[in-house]
């Protein structure tokens, strides 16, 4: 989401001609399995899609402005963060049925759970703070706030290292990245990066942080292993570099370029773009199927879920969903690294 700077939001009329281009591509040959979830941010609901036919099974109400979602480590619950209604919706990832709703979670735009299961962190994109909660199992009492830290301006995306020691937050409207020590809940550092940082992605080494610059056409690579971050370099991907998704092979990462209507595949060993895929309609969040063959991406301005064959680099299908589709997820997914 680009909450306060609207200059990158393509008009819907401009997005639709590009979106139609994929319909003449080869047909979809899916397989039965768990449903695909697509969050419709402006409709306060989600589309539940059957993977074999790509038919929409139903629309399920969530809360206002559902933007991102995250699965609990036991794979029993998929958590949807509803920023506009200050709530979390817990869903069964295999069926899409609502399990429960937690209220009084202030402006949860983005969310992450630490690997040691101690901390649940949310970014309040609208209210300029990061909240750190003591994590409790899904069937326990509501989450307890440990610390609320000012994070001006417009905290967007979060990443937590594998040791559960640091949470990183991009600050969209101050063009910075903030690092917070989880044990003390105090800032470690804040560093200027580039224009409108959105998603951030921490590699498996726990020291290389990728930052997507939505106000530009670059991804930055930072060394965050020391006391202060050091810029390693920039990778030109495309205008509006926005969100990340690992391919699942331990080496490549996809980057959605919101304005360029493309997706770049980056080799994280060489830090170079090795392929470009078409992605009409303002590509945003992505998911990769377990077999590693298919990339699912939400097309924000076209109200579609776009299905891309990774090998042929072709759009093979588009599925009509709701307004401003954002997060996408399925239990039948490739590894996150």
């Amino acid at each position: 989401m680009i909450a306060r700077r609207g200059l990158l939001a393509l008009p819907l009329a401009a997005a639709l001609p590009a979106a139609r281009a994929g319909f003449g591509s080869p047909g979809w040959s899916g397989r039965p399995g768990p449903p695909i979830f697509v969050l419709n941010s402006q409709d306060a609901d989600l589309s539940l899609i059957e993977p074999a036919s790509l038919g929409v099974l139903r629309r399920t109400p969530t809360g206002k402005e559902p933007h991102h979602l995250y699965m609990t480590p036991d794979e029993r619950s998929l958590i949807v963060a509803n920023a506009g209604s200050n709530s979390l919706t817990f869903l069964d990832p295999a069926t899409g049925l609502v399990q429960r709703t937690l209220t009084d979670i202030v402006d949860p735009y983005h969310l992450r759970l630490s690997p040691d299961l101690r901390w649940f962190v949310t970014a309040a994109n609208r209210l300029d703070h990061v909240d750190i909660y003591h994590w409790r199992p899904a069937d326990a009492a509501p989450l307890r706030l440990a610390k609320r830290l000012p994070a001006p301006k417009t905290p967007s995306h979060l990443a937590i290292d594998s040791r559960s020691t640091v949470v990183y937050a991009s600050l969209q409207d101050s063009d910075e990245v903030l690092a917070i020590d989880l044990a003390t809940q105090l800032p470690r550092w804040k560093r200027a990066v580039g224009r409108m940082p959105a998603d951030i992605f921490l590699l498996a080494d726990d020291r290389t942080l990728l930052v997507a610059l939505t106000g530009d056409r670059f991804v930055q690579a930072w060394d965050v292993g020391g006391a202060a971050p050091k810029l390693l370099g920039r990778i030109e991907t495309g205008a509006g570099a926005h969100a990340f998704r690992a391919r699942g092979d331990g080496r490549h990462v996809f980057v959605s370029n919101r304005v360029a209507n493309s997706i770049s595949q980056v080799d994280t060993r060489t830090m170079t773009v090795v392929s470009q895929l078409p992605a009409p309609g303002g590509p945003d969040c992505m998911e990769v199927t377990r077999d590693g063959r298919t990339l699912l991406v939400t097309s924000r301005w076209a109200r579609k879920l776009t299905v891309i064959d990774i090998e042929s680099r072709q759009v093979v299908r588009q599925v009509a969903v709701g307004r401003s589709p954002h997060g996408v997820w399925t239990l039948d997914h490739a590894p996150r690294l």
Side-chain angles (χ1 to χ4, degrees):
M1 178 182 181
I2 303 301
R4 297 178 186 172
R5 296 183 185 176
L7 53 157
L8 295 183
L10 294 177
L12 185 59
L16 285 177
R20 293 191 186 104
F23 284 109
S25 303
W28 166 251
S29 56
R31 61 184 184 183
I36 299 166
F37 296 77
V38 176
L39 301 183
N40 303 310
S41 295
Q42 291 185 10
D43 286 336
D45 67 11
L46 63 86
S47 296
L48 198 70
I49 298 171
E50 196 279 317
S53 66
L54 290 179
V56 177
L57 297 170
R58 62 179 179 270
R59 298 274 291 269
T60 300
T62 53
K64 294 179 181 178
E65 294 186 39
H67 291 291
H68 294 102
L69 62 179
Y70 194 79
M71 187 178 66
T72 57
D74 60 11
E75 297 191 349
R76 293 183 179 180
S77 296
L78 182 63
I79 309 173
V80 175
N82 308 304
S85 60
N86 300 327
S87 66
L88 304 173
T89 303
F90 287 71
L91 302 160
D92 185 322
T95 66
L97 296 177
V98 176
Q99 296 170 329
R100 70 171 183 151
T101 299
L102 283 185
T103 57
D104 300 321
I105 308 297
V106 178
D107 189 21
Y109 173 73
H110 201 258
L111 67 167
R112 280 295 181 265
L113 180 61
S114 64
D116 64 3
L117 305 185
R118 293 185 60 196
W119 310 107
F120 181 75
V121 186
T122 61
N125 183 269
R126 184 180 73 255
L127 300 178
D128 295 336
H129 59 77
V130 170
D131 284 350
I132 301 175
Y133 295 87
H134 294 284
W135 171 252
R136 301 182 182 186
D139 56 351
L143 302 174
R144 181 166 60 88
L145 183 65
K147 187 74 175 244
R148 174 165 293 159
L149 292 94
K153 189 175 184 184
T154 321
S156 181
H157 287 65
L158 304 167
I160 299 178
D161 69 337
S162 66
R163 298 166 295 170
S164 304
T165 57
V166 186
V167 56
Y168 302 93
S170 61
L171 305 181
Q172 174 186 303
D173 286 343
S174 62
D175 300 337
E176 297 171 304
V177 169
L178 171 67
I180 301 168
D181 187 285
L182 280 172
T184 63
Q185 293 99 55
L186 295 173
R188 283 193 175 189
W189 49 258
K190 186 164 67 169
R191 177 58 56 92
V193 287
R195 292 177 55 202
M196 294 179 71
D199 202 4
I200 51 180
F201 186 88
L202 190 63
L203 300 189
D205 62 7
D206 268 345
R207 66 179 302 139
T208 307
L209 184 72
L210 303 181
V211 180
L213 301 179
T214 303
D216 212 321
R217 62 186 189 279
F218 296 99
V219 166
Q220 291 180 336
W222 289 83
D223 183 346
V224 293
K230 298 178 181 179
L231 181 63
L232 298 173
R234 300 193 307 170
I235 308 161
E236 185 170 355
T237 60
H242 187 70
F244 295 106
R245 174 59 166 93
R247 179 163 185 176
D249 60 2
R251 178 167 181 168
H252 297 94
V253 173
F254 291 111
V255 182
S256 60
N257 305 307
R258 175 82 68 80
V259 178
N261 286 322
S262 67
I263 292 173
S264 304
Q265 183 176 193
V266 174
D267 185 327
T268 61
R269 296 180 189 174
T270 62
M271 292 298 174
T272 58
V273 173
V274 294
S275 68
Q276 294 276 18
L277 294 77
D284 202 302
C285 293
M286 296 169 286
E287 180 65 293
V288 179
T289 56
R290 189 182 300 272
D291 60 12
R293 297 173 57 185
T294 304
L295 182 65
L296 307 171
V297 56
T298 49
S299 297
R300 290 293 292 276
W301 319 132
R303 305 182 186 181
K304 307 284 187 182
L305 173 70
T306 297
V307 182
I308 302 171
D309 181 89
I310 295 173
E311 186 65 27
S312 68
R313 305 178 194 174
Q314 291 188 17
V315 173
V316 297
R317 188 80 173 268
Q318 288 190 305
V319 182
V321 288
R323 292 183 299 164
S324 193
H326 203 167
V328 56
W329 186 91
T330 179
L331 188 61
D332 189 30
H333 62 75
R336 300 294 180 191
L337 293 174

